[in-house]
Amino acid sequence: FDLLSAVAEAPNAKSVHAARWYSHVKSFSEEERANALKAVVVVAAKAEEEDDDDFDCFGDEDEDDIERENEIQRIADEAKAAKLAKGKILIEKSIVIIDVKPWDSETDMAALEEKIRGIEME
């Protein structure tokens, strides 16, 4: 409402939004304007009083956060110790892959398989 007192006359028709705002704000009585200012002050005062402990945008740690981090670390350490206690599990896998393709359609695949299976590694 302070801006309304700064505006000497209504904006021209080219400034449609400003003219609409001016006519809207001008429609309030002096009593309504005073009550609106009081309401704004009350809302601002209530907002300052509220202390929001649930959200900390800068990440400052408190006791609850430290306890939670310690609990997570303890669980992770227990899981790591249990894994080490089991020992290393060796999974045996073949690392040699032989891709065999017949020379032509008349190649005896059974005889070829016998020859291949007869190969031994040193």
Side-chain angles (χ1 to χ4, degrees), residues 83-94:
K83 185 177 179 181
L84 290 175
K86 284 184 179 179
K88 188 174 181 180
I89 299 173
L90 180 63
I91 301 174
E92 298 180 11
K93 295 181 180 179
S94 174

Side-chain angles (χ1 to χ4, degrees), residues 60-102:
D60 293 337
E61 293 184 356
D62 58 358
E63 292 178 19
D64 294 335
D65 291 338
I66 294 171
E67 288 175 11
R68 184 168 180 257
E69 287 177 5
N70 290 339
E71 180 68 17
I72 291 171
Q73 186 63 42
R74 184 188 61 79
I75 292 170
D77 290 342
E78 287 176 1
K80 186 176 181 180
K83 185 177 179 181
L84 290 175
K86 284 184 179 179
K88 188 174 181 180
I89 299 173
L90 180 63
I91 301 174
E92 298 180 11
K93 295 181 180 179
S94 174
I95 37 179
V96 178
I97 299 173
I98 301 175
D99 187 23
V100 179
K101 297 180 183 176

